[in-house]
Amino acid sequence: TSMIHIIIAKVRAMFDLDSDPVVIANSLETHPSIKKLLRKHPGIRIPSGWEGFEVAIAAILGQLVSVERGRSLVNDLIELAGDKVQLNGKTLTVFPRPSHVAKADLSPLKTTGIRNQTLKLFAQAVASEDISLEPTQAVDDFMESVLAIRGMGPWTAYYMARKVLRHTDAFPASALIL
């Protein structure tokens, strides 16, 4: 039964089911432009992902590229460094653990050398527990640790704080689209 509780907690976090859309709407509807968006998309939530490390790595790979290109890079990383598992007689490649990314030769990954280095440094920090992805930690400490890694900027750190730690006040204000 403990596994079912873990799965339920992950699904709740993944689909932002613990947020209260009514409270959010009441707070945001004072701005006319946002009020129109809220009416068009009532109850909208901010989804995340199944596992924090995977979301964080996708954020790094998604820097300054299209969503499609970011997804392609994540898939390429899975093929390059992913773990092979057997399921029903088939071999599947799943997202790599932090220690595997830290040790992997990422040179075939079609991104910049600095981004590859950032991936490795971040993965090493997570594998050595210098960076925690637990949502119960102090967000300022997390941000400081992430920003200390070469190649990490405020947008990525805030994005990780929002999507990985589920910190609701994290806002990547430096994002060009925002």
Side-chain angles (χ1 to χ4, degrees):
T1 45
S2 65
M3 187 57 134
I4 193 74
H5 295 295
I6 293 169
I7 292 170
I8 290 170
K10 283 187 173 276
V11 168
R12 292 191 71 75
M14 187 172 171
F15 294 106
D16 198 23
L17 297 179
D18 291 325
S19 70
D20 186 341
V22 173
V23 171
I24 294 167
N26 288 342
S27 298
L28 295 177
E29 72 180 2
T30 58
H31 191 283
S33 298
I34 293 177
K35 188 173 187 171
K36 289 178 190 174
L37 286 171
L38 289 171
R39 285 192 178 144
K40 187 175 180 182
H41 306 285
I44 196 164
R45 298 169 186 272
I46 299 175
S48 186
W50 186 257
E51 203 275 323
F53 180 68
E54 185 174 342
V55 173
I57 291 297
I60 295 168
L61 287 171
Q63 294 174 6
L64 303 174
V65 298
S66 68
V67 172
E68 293 80 19
R69 181 71 185 129
R71 285 182 183 147
S72 176
L73 287 169
V74 169
N75 287 331
D76 292 348
L77 177 66
I78 292 169
E79 291 304 317
L80 185 67
D83 296 323
K84 307 287 187 211
V85 296
Q86 295 293 318
L87 182 65
N88 297 329
K90 294 183 181 182
T91 302
L92 302 174
T93 306
V94 297
F95 201 87
R97 290 174 278 182
S99 60
H100 288 196
V101 174
K103 294 175 186 171
D105 173 13
L106 300 180
S107 60
L109 200 58
K110 291 182 174 75
T111 187
T112 66
I114 291 174
R115 187 152 304 130
N116 281 346
Q117 182 184 33
T118 302
L119 286 171
K120 290 179 82 64
L121 291 171
F122 180 78
Q124 287 169 348
V126 172
S128 66
E129 298 181 359
D130 290 335
I131 290 182
S132 169
L133 301 178
E134 289 300 316
T136 55
Q137 68 183 292
V139 175
D140 291 341
D141 294 343
F142 173 80
M143 296 287 291
E144 185 178 320
S145 297
V146 169
L147 289 170
I149 294 175
R150 183 173 187 243
M152 290 288 211
W155 180 90
T156 307
Y158 277 109
Y159 185 89
M160 286 181 186
R162 176 67 191 107
K163 296 280 206 155
V164 175
L165 302 186
R166 308 296 300 157
H167 181 62
T168 56
D169 291 332
F171 184 73
S174 63
L176 292 175
I177 294 172
L178 294 178

